[in-house]
Amino acid sequence: MDKETALSEVKKRLPEKRYAHTLRVMECAVELAKRYGADPAKAELASALHDIAKYFPEEEMRAIIQSRETLPDLLLDYHPSVWHAPVGAIYIKETFGLTDPDILAAITYHTTGRSGMSVLEKVVFLADYIEPGRSFPGVDEVREMAKEDLDLAVAQALANTVRFLVENYSQVYPDTLSAYNDLIQVCGVRLKEWHKRTEV
Ligand code: DGI
Ligand code: FE
Ligand code: FE
């Protein structure tokens, strides 16, 4: 599947604002891929398609999760906002015959992350978080980290997301906690040093 086909299929399924978000994620992901050694073409295609299922009706997503062996039923115990990522990946595979496992994983885990993420998965996850249209608390700090250290930026983004969910008494999907734990093990010390350095 080429980029143009992907974008025209995505455009049909997304409102204008979400499509504009998609274009910004693509640009950002290509830049991060070049910086951190992921395949820029895969980063671009995965980003183009990452939110394709964002506006699928909840019931349709639920039916897809229930009927496909590869999608964990555990998803149904968590908030529907995490469903569009794995549902989008399986939809793309079945509808457009896209089978590249790297691209499908980057789409599947773009919302929650997971333990042992590939560089491509981190790039798409981070691009979705820091694209210039985002304005949530802490995003500028993650943008700064993204210029220097991919793991650091992804770890901080995950920490922010976990904190946000806990503060709202929302459930945290296990893959999100696994991703957080995994990356904190790698760069928890560096994160602490970064904050010590920028506090003064
Ligand atoms: O689809 P986007 O809006 O571009 O971004 P996204 O795919 O990162 O989805 C963000 C939403 O997902 C946001 O409302 C927070 C929610 N979310 C992310 N991780 C978790 C989560 N919600 C729950 N309940 N649990 C999670 O682990
Ligand atoms: Fe998304
Ligand atoms: Fe997105």
Side-chain angles (χ1 to χ4, degrees):
M1 182 174 215
D2 61 32
K3 176 182 126 181
E4 279 70 31
T5 312
L7 280 178
S8 76
E9 292 295 338
V10 162
K11 203 174 200 303
K12 289 183 213 167
R13 293 167 176 81
L14 295 182
E16 200 70 32
K17 273 192 169 171
R18 179 64 45 174
Y19 183 71
H21 158 74
T22 297
L23 296 178
R24 293 191 298 267
V25 175
M26 284 168 76
E27 192 177 338
C28 196
V30 169
E31 194 184 313
L32 289 170
K34 287 179 183 161
R35 188 176 304 152
Y36 293 112
D39 181 332
K42 288 191 186 194
E44 191 171 50
L45 194 51
S47 307
L49 294 163
H50 83 284
D51 273 340
I52 195 166
K54 185 82 180 177
Y55 293 85
F56 284 13
E58 217 170 284
E59 282 321 305
E60 194 178 319
M61 289 198 279
R62 188 191 307 278
I64 291 174
I65 292 165
Q66 283 169 335
S67 60
R68 306 305 196 277
E69 246 173 38
T70 52
L71 294 189
D73 286 337
L74 181 70
L75 284 164
L76 300 172
D77 295 337
Y78 290 82
H79 197 270
S81 62
V82 304
W83 297 355
H84 72 281
V87 166
I90 207 158
Y91 179 83
I92 288 154
K93 189 177 176 185
E94 293 174 358
T95 312
F96 309 121
L98 188 155
T99 55
D100 185 305
D102 305 331
I103 294 176
L104 293 175
I107 297 166
T108 299
Y109 299 105
H110 87 262
T111 303
T112 59
R114 65 164 165 171
S115 174
M117 290 167 87
S118 68
V119 176
L120 184 70
E121 287 169 48
K122 289 172 185 169
V123 158
V124 173
F125 177 92
L126 187 59
D128 190 31
Y129 191 88
I130 65 172
E131 63 90 348
R134 300 293 206 190
S135 60
F136 32 71
V139 70
D140 279 333
E141 180 179 75
V142 178
R143 287 183 180 121
E144 283 306 306
M145 292 176 175
K147 293 175 188 165
E148 288 179 28
D149 187 323
L150 181 64
D151 284 341
L152 199 74
V154 175
Q156 186 64 53
L158 284 161
N160 293 350
T161 299
V162 171
R163 190 185 295 118
F164 166 82
L165 292 167
V166 171
E167 276 174 359
N168 285 285
Y169 303 102
S170 296
Q171 286 183 302
V172 183
Y173 193 67
D175 279 342
T176 305
L177 292 171
S178 300
Y180 169 79
N181 287 330
D182 182 37
L183 281 167
I184 284 300
Q185 196 171 27
V186 176
C187 64
V189 173
R190 261 179 294 152
L191 263 185
K192 279 190 195 172
E193 282 168 3
W194 173 288
H195 287 287
K196 219 183 272 174
R197 194 150 45 85
T198 54
E199 260 166 32
V200 277

